[in-house]
Amino acid sequence: MILSNVSIPLLGMVDTAVVGHLPQPHYIGAVAVGAVIFSFVFWGFGFLRMGTTGFVAQAHGGGVPGRVQTKLAQAGLIALVLGFTILAAQAPIREVAFALIAAGGEVEREARAYFAIRIWAAPATLMTYVLVGWFLGTQNARAPLAIMLGANLTNIVLDLLFVPVLGWGVAGVAVASVISEYLALGIGLALVWRSGKLVPGLWRWAEIRDLAQLRAILRVNADIMLRTLCLIFALSFFVRQGARQGELILAANAVLMNFQHFMAYALDGFAHAAEAFVGDAIGARNQARLKRAIALTGRWTLGIAAVIAGTYALGGELLIAALTDLAEVRDQAARYLPWLVVSPLISAWSFWLDGVFIGATRGQEMRNTMLLATFGAYLPAWWLLASWGNHGLWAAFLVFLAARGIGLGLLLPRLRGAISS
């Protein structure tokens, strides 16, 4: 799962690198703005991956014939409806998004071109979330690795073809993303078929259409969706406040955020393991396995976080130089690098505990913690630290991450009763 996950931020780094070597910083800013918008548009529906993993893991642990297939069909139906709804509503989504970001000038012009192309990936993206979640719930990490590596390596190759070779600029990055999203869906569907779990006799159509089950899925997913929207709001707020400080700060933050995303996706490998094993333990009603899953994934998460922090401390400036040859962007990014060095040690707790609570399908706790972290910690911290400029912005962002981890940690004892209740 770590190998699978880190291919996503590596792709983001390539996106940044191919436009980071174009002559003006607004190209980097445009890709950053476009990425934030599609974090909202697509990852707002990230519950399709997370919720599917939790429900499928519990079905897998429970061992009821046909239940795993039922959860795939139910989640897939929801994903298709939402994907085509996004396409139908793309005009209002676009205008609201750019009104909120308020990047302006050349950054907005290029970002709008990116949006007009990337939006067409919506159905494929949401269905792929379901497929990856389904595989994780059945404790199959190789299939998500094949899906993500196949699609993202293709995306990287297309980036290098469309931007430096063909000169398509920001639009080339978007086209590469759309092609790769549909390739990911194709790989995922092929692997589901080859898994051997789609036996016709196990499709329980009455259960798939069961409104009570669908309502239960939607209720948990609604909580996870609100939690995810708060997270994306926090990232969007970060980009917006950086953009208000000028193109240079926006570009520098975009470079550094690539490393934040790399760290997040790497640590999410253990979070995904926690989702699968915690859900399986709860489905099997095995208290000892539940405790062991929580303890082991926690220790590994914190250990790898320390390694990543050390890597950023020792090689951060070299990594920045690899993404852009614009001297002024490099200088600004290096100025704020210390915040990135401490981030893994602060972020790790929230990433790990997210996985634990997703596996337990405890969406309400995740929702409430995220609301408090966003509106009770992040925004007040920014209001207090705004006079520090971009340093204040990074400090407020780390306060937000710390609040998430502390909040979920305080609620962790509740899971001890998840099996007995």
Side-chain angles (χ1 to χ4, degrees), residues 280-367:
D280 188 82
I282 291 174
R285 308 190 70 79
N286 188 316
Q287 188 74 253
R289 277 165 56 186
L290 175 63
K291 291 180 179 179
R292 180 172 172 79
I294 293 172
L296 282 177
T297 54
R299 287 200 292 268
W300 275 97
T301 299
L302 297 175
I304 297 300
V307 172
I308 294 173
T311 301
Y312 287 168
L314 295 174
E317 293 195 23
L318 292 175
L319 295 171
I320 291 168
L323 292 192
T324 179
D325 55 6
L326 298 173
E328 62 273 29
V329 175
R330 287 184 181 182
D331 291 342
Q332 286 293 329
R335 183 181 178 188
Y336 302 107
L337 180 63
W339 295 106
L340 196 71
V341 172
V342 300
S343 178
L345 301 176
I346 295 173
S347 306
W349 301 90
S350 61
F351 300 152
W352 161 55
L353 290 170
D354 269 352
V356 171
F357 278 83
I358 288 168
T361 59
R362 303 295 281 261
Q364 187 175 17
E365 287 90 339
M366 296 174 65
R367 178 200 66 195

Side-chain angles (χ1 to χ4, degrees), residues 1 83 144 153 166 267 272 355:
M1 283 314 306
L153 290 175
L166 298 180
L267 296 182
H272 294 334

Side-chain angles (χ1 to χ4, degrees), residues 114-359:
Y114 180 95
F115 180 97
I117 298 168
R118 181 77 188 279
I119 192 69
W120 291 97
T125 301
L126 300 195
M127 272 300 299
T128 302
Y129 289 166
V130 169
L131 297 178
V132 170
W134 185 77
F135 279 118
L136 289 177
T138 59
Q139 299 187 15
N140 180 346
R142 290 184 179 180
L145 175 62
I147 293 169
M148 303 312 296
L149 281 185
N152 290 335
L153 290 175
T154 300
N155 200 335
I156 289 170
V157 172
L158 294 177
D159 268 349
L160 297 174
L161 173 64
F162 293 158
V163 182
V165 177
L166 298 180
W168 290 4
V170 171
V173 174
V175 172
S177 295
V178 173
I179 293 173
S180 299
E181 294 283 7
Y182 280 95
L183 176 63
L185 176 59
I187 295 171
L189 290 172
L191 291 173
V192 168
W193 182 258
R194 289 186 59 189
S195 70
K197 289 187 170 63
L198 300 187
V199 180
L202 293 179
W203 290 99
R204 306 160 71 100
W205 296 107
E207 192 172 334
I208 290 170
R209 299 191 300 268
D210 186 285
L211 293 180
Q213 286 195 39
L214 287 170
R215 279 195 296 269
I217 292 171
L218 290 173
R219 183 169 56 252
V220 171
N221 283 343
D223 288 333
I224 297 176
M225 181 180 185
L226 184 56
R227 167 259 179 204
T228 304
L229 289 175
C230 285
L231 174 59
I232 299 167
F233 166 80
L235 295 172
S236 302
F237 183 84
F238 184 93
V239 172
R240 179 182 172 87
Q241 296 305 319
R244 292 178 67 179
Q245 298 178 61
E247 281 188 1
L248 203 55
I249 292 295
L250 175 63
N253 284 349
V255 170
L256 293 176
M257 266 297 176
N258 275 287
F259 303 122
Q260 173 72 16
H261 292 158
F262 179 89
M263 175 266 298
Y265 280 106
L267 296 182
D268 267 351
F270 296 108
H272 294 334
E275 294 171 23
F277 290 127
V278 167
D280 188 82
I282 291 174
R285 308 190 70 79
N286 188 316
Q287 188 74 253
R289 277 165 56 186
L290 175 63
K291 291 180 179 179
R292 180 172 172 79
I294 293 172
L296 282 177
T297 54
R299 287 200 292 268
W300 275 97
T301 299
L302 297 175
I304 297 300
V307 172
I308 294 173
T311 301
Y312 287 168
L314 295 174
E317 293 195 23
L318 292 175
L319 295 171
I320 291 168
L323 292 192
T324 179
D325 55 6
L326 298 173
E328 62 273 29
V329 175
R330 287 184 181 182
D331 291 342
Q332 286 293 329
R335 183 181 178 188
Y336 302 107
L337 180 63
W339 295 106
L340 196 71
V341 172
V342 300
S343 178
L345 301 176
I346 295 173
S347 306
W349 301 90
S350 61
F351 300 152
W352 161 55
L353 290 170
D354 269 352
V356 171
F357 278 83
I358 288 168

